[in-house]
Amino acid sequence: MDNHDFSDLAQLWQSTPASPPPTLEKCIQRHKKQQLRLFFGIALETLIMLSVSAWFVQALQESAPLVTQFWLGFGCFWGASMYVLVNRSRITSLRILKNQQLSQSLEAHQQLLRQELRRWDLSIKATLLFALVLVLLILVQYAMSSILLSNGLLGLLVVAVLLPVFKVKKRRAQQVLKTLSE
Amino acid sequence: MTEHIKEQDRSHIVETFWPQIRRAAKGYEQRSALCEELSQDMAFALWRALGNFDGQCKLNTYVYRVIHNVAVDHIRKYSRQKEDELAEEQVHSADSPEVNMQQQQQQQRLERAIQQLPLSHRQVMMLKLEGIDTAEISDVLGISEANVGVRLHRAKAQLTEQLMEKN
C-alpha cells in the first residue's frame, strides 16, 4: 500500500456520513442509572453474604446436619472470597484513568482480566474440592446407615451445573485477554 | 488552557469531535446497538474528562486517549459474545440511505477490515487514518515512534490483505 492508496483510504474513512450529535443529558442519565444499578448490585450481594453467614452461624449453633453445615460453610467461604476479590477488581476498574496513555491502561485492563481468571480458577478448584468432600460424606453416611442423603445429592447436582458455568466464564475471560494482548 | 474548561465549551468540544468518536466506535464495535452505546459512552467520558484537562498535552492527543481508553474498557466488558452473532448483526446494520451506495459499501468493507486487525495494529491504524502524525500517535499510545512505525507497517500489510480478500 503506497502513500497515495493510504491517503485514499483515509479519505474514505473520514467521509463517514454524519450522524446526529450526542445527547449529553441522556448520557448523564444513563451514567446515573448505571451507578444506581452498581450500588444495588453491591447492596444485594452484601445482603446475600450476610444472610448466608447468619444462616451458617445458626446452623452451627443449632447443630444442624453435617451436610447442611458443610454446604453453608462452603457457601460462606466461597462467597466471602469472591465478594472481596470482585469488589477489589471493581475499585481498580473505576480507578483506571480515562486520560492516561493507552499502553498503561491496556496493562491495567490485562491485570484485571488476569485477576478474573484467577477468580474462576479458584472457583473451579474450590468447587471440585467441595464435590469431593461431599461425595465422601455421602459415601460414609451410606456405609453407616444405608441411607442416601438427598441434601448431598442435591448439592452434587448444583456442583454439576456450576462447574461448566465457571469453565465457560474462564474461557471467555481468556479470549478477552487474548484480544487485549494482541 | 490550564484551569477548568467551561461546561458549554466541553459540550462544544464533544460535538466537534463527534465524527471522530463515531468512527472510532465503528472500528471497535461491529454490533450496531453496542456501537451506538459505545459512541455515547465515549462522548460522555470525554465530556467528563475535559473537566480535568490541564494542558499537559495537546487537546487532540487528550481526546484520542480518552475515546480509545473507553473502547478498551468496552472490549473488556462486552466482547464476550460469539463471533457468528457479531457477523449476523453486521449484515443488518443500516446507515444513512442518502449516501452513495458504492461508497457506503466501501466504507463498510474498510470498517470490517479494520475490525479484523489485532488491537495494537487497529489502534495505530485508526489514529493514522484520522490523519494523526506518528509523534502524536506515540503520545496517545505511550509507545516509541519507532514502535508506531513498525505497528503501522504491519497494520497496512494486514489491511491490504483483508481488503483484497473481501474484494
Side-chain angles (χ1 to χ4, degrees):
Chain A
M1 188 187 291
D2 61 23
N3 285 343
H4 183 257
D5 290 339
F6 191 80
S7 145
D8 285 348
L9 220 52
Q11 210 175 359
L12 179 67
W13 175 252
Q14 289 176 31
S15 61
T16 319
S19 58
T23 42
L24 284 169
E25 282 76 24
K26 270 190 191 170
C27 295
I28 294 168
Q29 289 300 323
R30 216 177 109 231
H31 180 70
K32 279 183 184 164
K33 274 185 197 164
Q34 280 172 346
Q35 277 190 319
L36 211 63
R37 222 177 293 145
L38 180 68
F39 172 77
F40 277 119
I42 294 173
L44 187 70
E45 285 164 14
T46 311
L47 197 70
I48 292 171
M49 264 296 304
L50 291 175
S51 309
V52 177
S53 304
W55 193 7
F56 178 49
V57 172
Q58 197 185 5
L60 284 178
Q61 281 173 345
E62 290 174 359
S63 303
L66 192 61
V67 173
T68 310
Q69 285 183 15
F70 179 61
W71 207 181
L72 287 170
F74 172 77
C76 254
F77 178 73
W78 181 80
S81 312
M82 288 301 118
Y83 182 81
V84 171
L85 294 174
V86 166
N87 281 304
R88 213 175 62 179
S89 277
R90 275 180 184 146
I91 292 166
T92 315
S93 172
L94 289 173
R95 276 189 190 153
I96 296 176
L97 285 176
K98 294 279 188 279
N99 58 3
Q100 65 189 159
Q101 289 180 318
L102 273 173
S103 54
Q104 291 169 355
S105 67
L106 265 172
E107 180 52 41
H109 283 287
Q110 286 167 5
Q111 190 59 35
L112 283 174
L113 280 162
R114 281 186 214 111
Q115 284 174 10
E116 188 183 336
L117 282 173
R118 276 198 289 275
R119 280 205 305 273
W120 293 126
D121 249 344
L122 186 73
S123 301
I124 291 168
K125 282 175 187 158
T127 312
L128 279 172
L129 188 70
F130 173 72
L132 188 74
V133 178
L134 203 59
V135 167
L136 282 175
L137 266 175
I138 294 170
L139 288 177
V140 169
Q141 188 78 21
Y142 185 70
M144 283 166 64
S145 60
S146 299
I147 297 169
L148 265 178
L149 290 171
S150 55
N151 274 357
L153 290 174
L154 188 70
L156 275 180
L157 191 72
V158 173
V159 167
V161 175
L162 280 180
L163 266 180
V165 172
F166 292 155
K167 283 192 174 170
V168 168
K169 295 260 184 197
K170 186 184 165 189
R171 203 176 324 126
R172 286 189 181 163
Q174 275 170 330
Q175 282 166 355
V176 180
L177 181 61
K178 193 177 158 225
T179 307
L180 289 188
S181 310
E182 276 175 343
Chain B
M1 189 78 103
T2 44
E3 285 301 309
H4 304 289
I5 298 179
K6 281 181 197 163
E7 199 169 315
Q8 208 178 356
D9 293 339
R10 280 155 62 190
S11 303
H12 177 68
I13 292 170
V14 171
E15 280 183 27
T16 308
F17 279 94
W18 180 242
Q20 284 90 330
I21 290 175
R22 288 291 295 169
R23 290 195 288 268
K26 282 185 180 178
Y28 281 105
E29 182 56 78
Q30 301 181 34
R31 296 160 284 190
S32 49
L34 282 178
C35 181
E36 186 59 43
E37 204 175 302
L38 175 59
S39 310
Q40 300 281 336
D41 283 346
M42 284 171 165
F44 178 61
L46 177 60
W47 181 79
R48 282 181 82 187
L50 283 169
N52 299 322
F53 180 61
D54 55 9
Q56 283 193 341
C57 60
K58 286 204 291 188
L59 178 66
N60 219 26
T61 307
Y62 192 79
V63 170
Y64 284 113
R65 274 189 200 164
V66 174
I67 61 179
H68 285 270
N69 265 312
V70 175
V72 172
D73 202 30
H74 177 88
I75 290 175
R76 188 169 63 80
K77 288 176 182 159
Y78 295 98
S79 66
R80 297 174 194 223
Q81 278 188 20
K82 288 178 187 167
E83 288 298 321
D84 48 351
E85 288 172 39
L86 307 184
E88 197 183 340
E89 285 210 29
Q90 176 65 38
V91 175
H92 297 299
S93 70
D95 275 316
S96 164
E98 298 94 43
V99 183
N100 175 289
M101 188 60 94
Q102 198 185 347
Q103 192 186 350
Q104 194 181 330
Q105 282 172 349
Q106 283 176 336
Q107 275 167 348
Q108 283 185 349
R109 207 177 302 142
L110 177 60
E111 281 165 16
R112 257 173 272 159
I114 285 172
Q115 286 157 358
Q116 304 292 318
L117 295 176
L119 187 65
S120 58
H121 295 170
R122 202 188 320 169
Q123 289 171 333
V124 172
M125 180 53 81
M126 282 198 289
L127 290 166
K128 195 68 187 174
L129 286 172
E130 287 294 344
I132 315 287
D133 64 43
T134 308
E136 203 175 342
I137 295 176
S138 116
D139 202 11
V140 173
L141 299 177
I143 57 174
S144 68
E145 287 185 39
N147 203 339
V148 171
V150 171
R151 286 188 193 185
L152 190 61
H153 179 73
R154 289 181 185 159
K156 276 182 183 176
Q158 281 173 306
L159 192 66
T160 310
E161 215 172 285
Q162 298 275 3
L163 288 171
M164 279 167 72
E165 265 178 35
K166 290 183 194 306
N167 278 332

